[in-house]
Every structure is written in C-alpha cells, then in structure tokens.
Amino acid sequence: MPRPLAAAVLGAAAVALSCGGDAGDGLTVLAAASLTEAFGEVGRAYTEETGVEVTFSFGASSAIADQVAEGFGADVVATASQPTMQALVDAGHVGRPVPFAANRLEIAVPPGNPAGVRSLADLADPSLTLAVCAPAVPCGALAAEAFAAQGVEPAADTEEEDVKGVLDKVATGEADAGVVYRTDVVAAGGEVDGVAIPDDENVVTTYPMAVVEGADPAADDFVEFVVAGEGQAIVRDHGFAAP
Amino acid sequence: MRRKAPAALWPVAGLGLAFLVLPLVGLVQRAPWASMGDHLADPAVRDALRLSLVVSLAATVAALVLGVPLAWVLARGTFPGRSLVRGLVLLPMVLPPVVGGLALLYALGRRGLVGQWLDRWFGLTLPFTTAGAVVAATFVALPFLVVTVEGGLRSMDARYEDAAATLGAGRWTVLRRVTLPMVAPSLAAGAALAWARALGEFGATITFAGSAPGRTRTMPLEVYLLREGDQRGAAVALSLVLVAVSLAVLALLRDRWFPARG
C-alpha cells in the first residue's frame, strides 16, 4: 500500500519539521496567568523596539515555578506571588527578583450586577453564588486575607484553581460574584463588571520578576524594559499599580 | 493455536510499553513514601476519593443507560447521515475537556440553552453540584462506551437474533436474552473504559461543576490544587492512589472480557 504509507511518512515529516522550534534566538518568558493581556502587549512592544522575538507561556504561579525548577529553558519568570519566587531563589534557579507591578483585589460580577453586590460583606450571603480562588493559590490566599481582615465569612460555592476559572464562572452568569484581581476585571472588558473594594479594605500583592540561571543575555534587557522602560507604561495601562 | 509474530514486533512492543510505564516509574520514584500515611489521612483527601468513586460510578451507569441504545442505533440502524451522527457522538473524545465544560455551561448552565428552563421551571441548577460533576464526567466518558459497544454489536453474529425471533421471541426478549448477553464482553470493556475516563476527568468537571470540597472536588481536582498550593509531595501521593485504584480495577478485567476477534 504505497500511497497511504507515503502520506503517513509525509505527515510525520511535516509534524517533525514544524516542531523543530529553534529556541536560540528570542526569549522565553514564563508569567502568571493574570499577566496574560499585559505581557502580550509588552512582548509585541519589545519585539518592535529590539527585534527580539518573545515567546510567552502563561499559567498559575506554582505551575510555572515547577517548570523553571525542572529546567524548562525559560529566560525570564514573572510570578504573582513572592513566596513562589522566593522558593526559586532559594533553590538557585533564578537571579535576584525585581518587583515590577502591584495588584489589588476587586469583585467581579456579571454585566449589570444582577445580584446587586456592593461590598465584601455582601459575599457572606449564602444565597449568593460566589466563586473564589482556592486558598492554596495566590489569588485565593489574598482573598482569604481580605475577608479575614473584614471579619467576613464568605459563602463560596466553588474554589477555583486560578483566576481565569473564577472569571469564567462570573462571565457566563453561573456565579453572582467572584473575587479576582483588579487587572482581571480590566482585561475581561465587557464580559464582567467590577465592584471596587475600598483601599482600606483591600490587600495588595507585589509581582516579582527574575532572570533564570543560564538565560539568554537579552533577558536582563527585557526585565529592564518591563521595570523601567515602555513595558512599565503598558503594564500600568492594564490596571496594575506601581510596585 | 498461537501464530508466531514477526520477531521485530517484540522489541517495538517493548518500546511502546516502556513509553507508557516510564512516567509511572518517575511518579513512584518521586513519591513521599515517608509521609504517605499523613497525606492519605487528610480528610480532604478522603472526601475527594469518595467523591471521585461516587461520581465515576454514577457516570458509568449513566453512560450505560444512554450509551447502549445509542450504540445499538449506530450499529444496526439504517438512516441517512449515520456517519455524521457517529462523528458527533465521538466529538467529546477530541474536544479539549475544558472546552467541553464550557459547552456544557452554555447548554446546561444557569443561563444555558436548556439550563435556564431547568432553573426557571424546576429550580434545578447543575453547576456547583455533585450532579453537575456527574454530568461532566458522563459527557466525556459516554463516547468510549458507545464506540466499544457498537464494535461488539457489529461483530456479533446477528443470525442468533433472527433465530430467536423465528422461535417466537418478542423484540424486547431478543434484546434481553440474546443480544445483550452476546455483547457482554463489549459492555464490560466499554463500562471499564468509561469508568476509567470518568475517574480521571478534570477539565470539564472544574469548568462546569466548579471545585468545592466534598461536593465537586474530585481526586484529579484535588491533586491539581495540592500542586498549585506547592504541596507537590501530597499531589504525587494522591496521584499514586488514583493510579492504584485504576490499576486494580482495570487489571481485574479478564482477557476474555475484551471483545473477541471477528
């Protein structure tokens, strides 16, 4: 049967060639999921300015920390949690971390705020369908901190693994409210509305960025771009605050 | 009588087996054997295990109830567009599970196509409930059952059914006393595959049913969460429990229960 066999061989060759993936030129940046939109734009701006291609991989902070620890071939890593970054520093996988942004919490609600949520205290209502991040992940730990500080017992119906999961539930109208980062509400655009949490009730988290050991020399340049260059302006535009 | 296979088959088969077993060895090697007891004693873990077993068993039953008639129609029915129907039935197999979960939300969620009526008329909401987790697991497991049972129905000798009919058996009796017993191996294999798939389901469950301890947080969700929380040791320990449970059930599947050739 020559023809099907030839087709199979050609197909396999095509796949092998497309997977070649030369990682030599260009940077690989691992970043927390909440940085998806902001860093996407930062990457484009950086490539425009320097001609260096940037490839991003977004995920939960602990997942990307895992990848760095297992030698993924990343050049830069940006997490949403300082403890996660610290673990990488302690293990010698990254250089000195630099803070580049700060984020606050906000309550996300379906457009129109059907349940009329006004504050963190409202989220204690058990008849409200509430989505939060699980306490084991950074956004969940922060939310728990904010609730505890206000003496509110949240009646959560689901504890998601990451912010995108919470946003999904709110955007589809399954949940009446969700606690996410302010930047997530900005990024979601018209899909969700935001109910602001007053600064004195809110918690702040600082995002650190570090160069991975053995990275491409351009990595330091990228970090500089984000911390002090045009990248910082882009990051602010997406709702992040100064570190 | 055993036919001898070409000699080259054995080493390649060995490679295939090694490919599948090596990651398992890696998992076992990194397991925190010393603290295994502590991890397994955690009530959250036992909740997750209990929930996983309940959800996967319920999903298997649902898959059997819905899947056997569907398999029969696909194997024996003659209607236009049968290939398209088969394609649709197999779709959940190729759909990324999270996409499947989203699709379920759009159909059965609080604002979904059908879900909004379920909510409005019966006050029934599936997301964030154990029933919702069962729905998600059934969605991904059903195609496996249908494919296996359809294969069994196609390869069985239909003349036995004809013989039973000529002897005066009604259609229901033929199904009950002739057809189903003859495809019993396919049923068992299909049910086992569906169960295994349902047990390991993650994306559709978390997207459609959410993740609440004791209600919708099945083992895979718990494993992922432990890993997120930097408790890698516990995550590996739990994974091994899942592997052990699955292996026990799948290994109990006797050879002869797999569909016979031709």
Side-chain angles (χ1 to χ4, degrees):
Chain A
M1 300 185 266
R3 210 177 297 157
L5 187 62
V9 169
L10 278 174
V15 170
L17 283 172
S18 63
C19 287
D22 165 65
D25 310 278
L27 293 172
T28 306
V29 177
L30 299 182
S34 43
L35 292 163
T36 309
E37 287 79 14
F39 266 32
E41 216 183 296
V42 167
R44 283 191 289 278
Y46 186 74
T47 306
E48 230 179 84
E49 191 174 294
T50 64
V52 177
E53 285 293 323
V54 188
T55 314
F56 291 100
S57 180
F58 298 104
S61 294
S62 51
I64 59 185
D66 258 352
Q67 291 171 334
V68 172
E70 298 293 329
F72 228 56
D75 299 296
V76 179
V77 56
T79 63
S81 139
Q82 281 174 312
T84 312
M85 181 64 86
Q86 192 56 44
L88 286 176
V89 173
D90 292 338
H93 295 297
V94 301
R96 193 179 59 87
V98 180
F100 67 96
N103 212 346
R104 287 188 151 76
L105 295 177
E106 194 161 307
I107 304 173
V109 290
N113 195 358
V117 175
R118 273 182 228 307
S119 67
L120 276 180
D122 288 345
L123 303 181
D125 183 355
S127 65
L128 195 80
T129 312
L130 173 66
V132 294
C133 293
V137 290
C139 59
L142 276 183
E145 213 184 293
F147 282 122
Q150 295 303 305
V152 173
E153 274 272 354
D157 293 87
T158 175
E159 298 175 353
E160 297 289 320
E161 319 248 322
D162 55 33
V163 256
K164 298 299 179 190
V166 176
L167 277 174
D168 265 349
K169 301 289 188 296
V170 174
T172 53
E174 286 316 315
D176 297 314
V179 179
V180 296
Y181 293 116
R182 182 172 294 173
T183 50
D184 295 308
V185 177
V186 171
E191 281 187 1
V192 298
D193 282 349
V195 174
I197 301 173
D199 276 352
D200 56 348
E201 289 178 26
N202 214 331
V203 284
V204 184
T205 180
T206 311
Y207 285 49
M209 190 179 217
V211 172
V212 180
E213 286 300 305
D216 191 305
D220 294 288
D221 195 44
F222 182 81
V223 174
E224 187 63 29
F225 184 78
V226 174
V227 173
E230 196 188 321
Q232 180 64 204
I234 297 173
V235 158
R236 302 273 184 94
D237 266 341
H238 282 265
F240 288 92
Chain B
M1 178 161 57
R2 283 268 194 89
R3 280 174 293 219
K4 292 211 98 182
L9 224 59
W10 290 92
V12 179
L15 197 65
L17 186 65
F19 175 69
L20 290 173
V21 172
L22 207 59
L24 197 59
V25 172
L27 203 63
V28 170
Q29 190 236 342
R30 295 275 187 113
W33 294 106
S35 52
M36 190 71 90
D38 291 329
H39 292 308
L40 301 181
D42 187 351
V45 169
R46 280 178 296 153
D47 258 350
L49 186 58
R50 180 190 53 84
L51 201 59
S52 261
L53 290 173
V54 166
V55 169
S56 59
L57 278 172
T60 309
V61 170
L64 279 167
V65 167
L66 292 174
V68 173
L70 190 52
W72 198 95
V73 165
L74 283 174
R76 303 290 178 75
T78 43
F79 53 89
R82 200 167 51 153
S83 302
L84 182 62
V85 173
R86 186 178 297 114
L88 287 173
V89 167
L90 298 183
L91 204 59
M93 274 177 161
V94 293
L95 218 56
V98 171
V99 175
L102 275 177
L104 282 170
L105 268 184
Y106 296 148
L108 297 170
R110 236 174 20 164
R111 296 193 185 165
L113 274 175
V114 171
Q116 57 178 307
W117 303 113
L118 287 177
D119 189 34
R120 227 174 281 188
W121 292 344
F122 307 106
L124 193 73
T125 45
L126 287 171
F128 311 134
T129 62
T130 310
V134 175
V135 166
T138 310
F139 182 74
V140 296
L142 187 58
F144 287 89
L145 187 122
V146 173
V147 153
T148 316
V149 175
E150 192 199 337
L153 282 169
R154 278 174 176 277
S155 62
M156 76 168 260
D157 194 340
R159 289 176 299 177
Y160 285 99
E161 293 174 337
D162 297 337
T166 58
L167 289 170
R171 278 191 280 185
W172 185 241
T173 312
V174 171
L175 187 72
R176 208 167 38 92
R177 304 281 301 274
V178 179
T179 318
L180 288 182
M182 284 193 77
V183 292
S186 298
L187 279 175
L193 278 178
W195 174 79
R197 180 66 186 88
L199 190 70
E201 176 46 39
F202 172 81
T205 310
I206 195 171
T207 310
F208 181 63
S211 172
R215 231 174 334 129
T216 55
R217 190 174 292 164
T218 54
M219 282 287 263
L221 270 62
E222 180 70 30
V223 168
Y224 203 75
L225 193 64
L226 284 170
R227 177 176 175 262
E228 299 283 307
D230 295 322
Q231 294 187 67
R232 205 150 302 112
V236 174
L238 247 71
S239 305
L240 284 176
V241 173
L242 257 181
V243 167
V245 171
S246 311
L247 203 60
V249 174
L250 292 171
L252 283 175
L253 270 184
R254 315 281 204 80
D255 253 353
R256 61 189 174 88
W257 288 357
F258 281 91
R261 273 165 294 284

